[in-house]
Each structure stands twice: as C-alpha cells, then as structure tokens.
Amino acid sequence: MTMSDPIADMLTRIRNGNTAKHDFVDIPASKMKQAVADILVGEGYIKGYKLIEDGLIKTIRVEMKYGKTKSEKVISGIKKISKPGLRVYAGRDELPKVLGGLGTAIISTNKGIITDKEARKQNVGGEVIAFIW
C-alpha cells in the first residue's frame, strides 16, 4: 500500500513514540524525511537519528529526547500544516510564527527544507510543512 502523505506519517510516528515514551522510533527513509530529521536535531527536539540500510530497505531510526525523566517531554506538540488535499504556502513577508516564536515552523523552499527563522534570514517563502513546539 502506498502512503499519500509520508511526512505526516513520519510526524505521527514521532508524536506517538513521544506519547508512549519510546527510546527510538523507526521510519521508512527518504531524503525529505532526513532533511526534516536534521531540523528536529538542530532545533533540539530529538537527540539524533541513524540511517539503517537493510538490503533494499532504508530506515531512519530517530532517537527520542526527554527531560531528566521520561515524563518531561521535549516535544509538546507537532502538527502537519500542508496536506495533499490543501497545500499551504507562505510568502517571505507572511511566514508563520509558532507560539510567538517559541516553536518552529518547517518550510520547504527552493533553498531546501529549513526553519521559519532561517527562511526569514534568507528572505524566502515556501510551503509550510509542519509546526513543532
């Protein structure tokens, strides 16, 4: 069965793993998912990730991040914004701020997948993929 929205599947797996307090989550790999994982590592929402190659199948193993105890979650919310049925775009002047700048918006631009803060610095707009806070 093919997935209609692989990025939404990735974010849902991370959200569910965070809620269930798992140490890691396995996600089928793609270049776009790796770019999103790079942003999550850079912003401090996950510890890291590894690319696991098992024959033809590539998997991203995301290492979840918690506070001092597992009950203190680093990710309090994650939401897919642009969906296959309704794409959401933002120009360089109308880039969204998540929780007044406390969260992060992930934007797909012509310069790659970057955060909303980086898109403001580079003065570019694009497709709003997800919010994380």
Side-chain angles (χ1 to χ4, degrees), residues 86-107:
L86 179 64
R87 300 288 182 191
V88 178
Y89 296 94
R92 62 183 183 210
D93 301 328
E94 53 204 30
L95 288 168
K97 281 193 175 183
V98 182
L99 293 178
L102 296 176
T104 303
I106 300 171
I107 314 286

Side-chain angles (χ1 to χ4, degrees), residues 60-125:
I60 298 172
R61 178 162 283 174
V62 175
E63 195 176 349
M64 303 301 288
K65 184 175 181 180
Y66 301 98
K68 291 179 183 174
T69 64
K70 279 195 175 182
S71 61
E72 298 174 28
K73 297 177 185 170
V74 173
I75 298 173
S76 56
I78 191 165
K79 183 179 181 186
K80 178 83 162 98
I81 302 301
S82 191
K83 299 177 172 87
L86 179 64
R87 300 288 182 191
V88 178
Y89 296 94
R92 62 183 183 210
D93 301 328
E94 53 204 30
L95 288 168
K97 281 193 175 183
V98 182
L99 293 178
L102 296 176
T104 303
I106 300 171
I107 314 286
S108 177
T109 68
N110 58 353
K111 299 188 179 187
I113 297 177
I114 55 178
T115 65
D116 56 327
K117 296 170 188 88
E118 191 63 34
R120 279 189 196 84
K121 282 182 195 170
Q122 295 183 16
N123 202 23
V124 293

